[in-house]
Amino acid sequence: MDIRIMAIAAVLPLAACTQERPPESTPPPPEAEMTCKADAVQSYVGQSVSPDLGAGILKASGARTLRWGPPRSAMTMDYRVDRVNVMYDDASKITQVTCG
């Protein structure tokens, strides 16, 4: 077999690897309307927890997700701008409402 044919056969698979790929796109920033606003829900402190109250807090805060914080529970420390945290005591009364 001719040496030129062998050289071409060896180089062709490598040529397929050199195609340029489009740059990876970065994810879009979170939507402004889904950012939690804790000031808007401080009036809920002292009220008894319930699913309806949680839905009201979620809507009033503008957050996307709600996280309940029962007494003496461990919670992750990751910060999310679209999450509202509702901590309550043993009497099921809301003690604190924060974002993150």
Side-chain angles (χ1 to χ4, degrees):
M1 189 175 250
D2 188 7
I3 189 83
R4 290 176 287 190
I5 294 175
M6 289 177 27
I8 292 172
V11 172
L12 277 177
L14 295 175
C17 295
T18 62
Q19 293 178 351
E20 272 192 48
R21 296 181 183 179
E24 292 184 25
S25 62
T26 58
E31 298 176 16
E33 64 267 7
M34 293 307 239
T35 301
C36 176
K37 297 167 194 70
D39 293 339
V41 290
Q42 293 307 308
S43 61
Y44 289 94
V45 173
Q47 296 186 31
S48 297
V49 299
S50 71
D52 291 335
L53 188 71
I57 292 171
L58 191 61
K59 184 176 180 180
S61 70
R64 184 182 309 221
T65 57
L66 175 117
R67 177 168 64 168
W68 292 106
R72 296 172 300 286
S73 64
M75 296 174 72
T76 60
M77 296 301 291
D78 62 321
Y79 184 82
R80 293 185 41 195
V81 297
D82 65 338
R83 178 173 60 200
V84 62
N85 304 301
V86 181
M87 278 59 86
Y88 58 93
D89 61 14
D90 289 323
S92 295
K93 298 286 184 187
I94 296 174
T95 58
Q96 186 179 18
V97 181
T98 62
C99 291

